[in-house]
Amino acid sequence: MKLRCDLTPTWPLLQSHYTAQGSHLDLRQAFERDADRFAHFSQSAPHVFADLSKNLWDRDTEALLLELAAVCGLEQHRDAMQGGQPINTTENRAVLHTLLRRPAGMSLPGDVPETAARLADVHSTLNAMLQYAEQVRGDAAITDVVNIGIGGSDLGPHMAVRALEEFRAPGKRFHFVSNVDGHELHHVLKAVRPESTLFLVASKTFTTAETMTNARSALAWFAAQGGRDVARHFAALTTNIEAAAALGITTTFGFWDWVGGRYSLWSAIGLPIAIAIGAQGFRDFLAGAHAMDEHFRTAPLAQNLPVRMGLLDLWYRNFHGFTSRCVAPYHAALTRYAAYLQQLEMESNGKRVGLDGRALACTTSPVIWGEPGTNGQHAFFQMLHQGCDVLPLEIVAVRKASHPLPGHQQKLLANALAQAQALMVGKASEDGHRHFPGNRPSTLLLLDSLTPASLGALIALQEHRVFVSGSLWGINSFDQWGVELGKVLAKDIEARLESGDVAGLDGSTAGLLGLLRDGDGWTA
Ligand code: F6P
């Protein structure tokens, strides 16, 4: 039986612990008091080592949080997800992104009866997709791959293709078009030719307005430029093969409604990744994620990295009241990492009602934001060190360089360590401007090198830590009803921009609409 965190007997214990101890924990003293603090709050998981010791918690805090996880039925909920139970209750769907990286034929104790058939389907689709990816990689006539998709159909592939640029096939350029602003597509179309371009139209539903608009414009451009053979130059990655066919796209790779959009880069939505890094690279990417899945499934809660991170997230949000988390990957290829995590965490856990649809008594997702280090240091780190709010920082550091240039890697890693150290130790000064209060928390995630496998594990880690806090909060981390209203209203306003009808609109929207129409018509 699953219980919401704030309804457990452990919740008031955590509250008292926070008041008595947690709220005034000093990290510098905590390290002095506990010689094994680093060892205790370090955690090795597949491909990822985590230093959680520079966070505002101690062993007592963690023991209570672990008790909370047990009382809330976290393990049962995790097993229900990985076993294929329909835990996405508002859409009555299973949540099975872990199945996409499960080796063929592997079964788990709690599997629902249809899992074997689903897994067989996963692998036959994966094999077909990887065969196609290899064919595209070997086709020297295709020089440009343009992914058209938005949200989960853009962020994951975009992040991973950039992150793994060292592993990319030579002779291929990758472009990502997501915005309905024609500026983006127009800019890409100016740079490509129809005979050497492959367009991938990525959309789980194949109804998303931005993607459909861009896909239609790309098809129209292709025809206008004398492009022939849509089947060779357009492929659709979707659960809605019929809608793709209706648009004239017959080369298709499918997936299933039990793959959430923001969890879909492991499915056919990952085709740009597979074209970029090849079939073996994509299999390594899946294997890295699967290794993390197994860690999450089998490690005891106290040595389970996604669990420990998810519990810390809850502690920070509900007890310390921290409203955001800054993410700083110290690898320049992780430029889209923060954007990717924003959707993963904020679309999953940005909810204000529990599974029963009633308002929650506690807060949920923090704001996730960030930029690669060291760039962030010269922009917003000022506020991390000396601002009024405590903003927990999560660093990703990569031990081995992915380039041959001497001297850079030491500087990069020294900066990563120095920032975490400076935030914690601070520096006393009589001059308020030069005073660093310190005691500011950070986590450091360390990869040995940035490879398909380690990236897969890192992403799966992030997926599972989001699951942990969402599960304890008792929310549905797998729906996204909050994005619907704006979509409906945009359709209405689009028609009104044409007609000029402002009847029934609020004063501000009506006024702005009038300004955009410039009084007498829609001319833009
Ligand atoms: O608008 C939110 C959303 O529904 C995301 O959850 C999803 O990843 C994105 O739109 C794109 O959806 P689709 O893949 O169906 O085009």
Side-chain angles (χ1 to χ4, degrees):
M1 167 65 190
K2 209 176 124 28
L3 202 54
R4 215 174 74 189
C5 58
D6 58 308
L7 303 177
T8 63
T10 317
W11 194 254
L13 299 180
L14 274 160
Q15 268 163 341
S16 321
H17 167 73
Y18 177 73
T19 313
Q21 249 170 278
S23 56
H24 42 268
L25 181 133
D26 186 293
L27 284 169
R28 295 152 290 199
Q29 290 167 10
F31 272 98
E32 273 168 27
R33 267 201 312 273
D34 183 353
D36 291 332
R37 186 175 168 91
F38 175 68
H40 177 80
F41 285 107
S42 293
Q43 181 68 59
S44 288
H47 301 282
V48 183
F49 170 87
D51 173 17
L52 305 172
S53 67
K54 291 198 198 77
N55 282 293
L56 296 169
W57 62 350
D58 59 18
R59 293 177 194 228
D60 294 344
T61 321
E62 199 187 22
L64 281 170
L65 289 167
L66 288 165
E67 183 185 309
L68 183 74
V71 175
C72 286
L74 176 67
E75 288 162 292
Q76 292 81 344
H77 196 215
R78 171 200 64 196
D79 294 346
M81 173 178 72
Q82 294 197 348
Q85 303 285 346
I87 65 162
N88 175 355
T89 47
T90 61
E91 296 176 310
N92 193 27
R93 286 179 185 162
V95 174
L96 270 173
H97 42 280
T98 51
L99 200 69
L100 300 169
R101 49 244 190 170
R102 211 196 272 184
M106 180 183 178
S107 62
L108 299 186
D111 277 348
V112 298
E114 54 267 53
T115 297
R118 283 173 168 168
L119 188 57
D121 241 11
V122 163
H123 280 274
S124 65
T125 309
L126 175 66
N127 292 340
M129 168 185 136
L130 293 184
Q131 200 181 351
Y132 178 77
E134 285 297 329
Q135 184 191 313
V136 174
R137 280 163 68 82
D139 186 343
I142 298 292
T143 55
D144 291 88
V145 177
V146 179
N147 191 78
I148 296 178
I150 196 164
S153 300
D154 164 72
L155 290 161
H158 197 167
M159 179 269 295
V161 167
R162 285 209 181 176
L164 299 172
E165 60 195 0
E166 276 308 299
F167 295 80
R168 265 195 228 162
K172 302 258 185 278
R173 286 178 293 267
F174 291 83
H175 313 266
F176 288 84
V177 174
S178 52
N179 204 315
V180 76
D181 185 349
H183 177 91
E184 198 172 37
L185 178 62
H186 177 66
H187 187 74
V188 170
L189 293 180
K190 278 199 302 193
V192 301
R193 288 172 299 126
E195 65 277 12
S196 55
T197 302
L198 171 64
F199 291 92
L200 302 175
V201 182
S203 175
K204 178 176 173 181
T205 56
F206 230 78
T207 58
T208 304
E210 291 90 337
T211 303
M212 293 303 102
T213 304
N214 282 323
R216 283 196 195 94
S217 294
L219 282 161
W221 170 88
F222 184 76
Q225 296 289 311
R228 283 191 200 91
D229 203 353
V230 169
R232 171 168 157 73
H233 291 280
F234 282 79
L237 322 175
T238 183
T239 59
N240 191 350
I241 304 287
E242 300 75 34
L247 205 65
I249 305 178
T250 50
T251 305
T252 54
F253 296 93
F255 58 110
W256 307 270
D257 71 357
W258 41 261
V259 180
R262 52 194 173 274
Y263 300 88
S264 63
L265 76 172
W266 320 100
S267 73
I269 294 293
L271 182 57
I273 310 172
I275 295 173
I277 64 173
Q280 189 52 50
F282 196 78
R283 288 192 191 280
D284 292 346
F285 180 59
L286 296 178
H290 176 67
M292 189 59 76
D293 296 341
E294 284 299 278
H295 169 78
F296 181 47
R297 187 174 74 82
T298 59
L301 297 184
Q303 275 95 50
N304 193 311
L305 183 55
V307 171
R308 296 180 86 182
M309 288 173 68
L311 291 175
L312 181 61
D313 294 340
L314 178 141
W315 173 242
Y316 276 178
R317 192 72 188 96
N318 297 139
F319 295 91
H320 282 279
F322 300 151
T323 53
S324 83
R325 180 166 69 249
C326 175
V327 293
Y330 278 72
H331 193 299
L334 288 169
T335 46
R336 298 295 293 164
Y337 179 70
Y340 166 77
L341 291 182
Q342 280 176 334
Q343 187 199 21
L344 178 64
E345 189 145 351
M346 292 161 75
E347 196 168 1
S348 296
N349 286 351
K351 313 279 164 70
R352 55 175 284 286
V353 298
L355 290 171
D356 58 3
R358 288 164 190 246
L360 294 168
C362 63
T363 51
T364 56
S365 180
V367 174
I368 305 297
W369 58 286
E371 271 289 317
T374 57
N375 299 22
Q377 292 172 208
H378 297 271
F380 48 76
F381 271 46
Q382 160 65 36
M383 183 168 163
L384 266 51
H385 289 285
Q386 289 186 318
C388 300
D389 296 296
V390 174
L391 306 167
L393 172 67
E394 188 165 294
I395 290 172
V396 177
V398 182
R399 200 169 71 80
K400 290 186 189 134
S402 54
H403 60 83
L405 301 177
H408 288 252
Q409 192 67 1
Q410 293 93 312
K411 288 189 171 61
L412 178 72
L413 294 177
N415 271 280
L417 260 55
Q419 289 302 318
Q421 184 190 21
L423 284 166
M424 179 173 78
V425 299
K427 183 169 178 283
S429 169
E430 299 281 297
D431 175 355
H433 300 288
R434 290 175 171 77
H435 179 75
F436 291 77
N439 204 32
R440 302 214 160 183
S442 67
T443 291
L444 191 139
L445 302 177
L446 181 63
L447 312 182
D448 191 51
S449 52
L450 187 59
T451 62
S454 68
L455 183 69
L458 177 66
I459 299 169
L461 166 65
Q462 297 293 350
E463 289 177 346
H464 295 322
R465 67 101 67 97
V466 169
F467 173 85
V468 170
S469 54
S471 174
L472 266 64
W473 283 323
I475 57 180
N476 183 353
S477 298
F478 301 101
D479 61 10
Q480 55 284 319
W481 297 107
V483 303
E484 293 305 323
L485 178 60
K487 291 183 190 173
V488 173
L489 295 184
K491 270 196 187 147
D492 174 60
I493 292 178
E494 190 181 338
R496 289 173 185 266
L497 278 168
E498 202 68 52
S499 68
D501 176 14
V502 295
L505 288 181
D506 63 89
S508 167
T509 310
L512 292 169
L513 199 135
L515 280 176
L516 290 174
R517 280 177 53 83
D518 205 13
D520 38 60
W522 178 245
T523 50

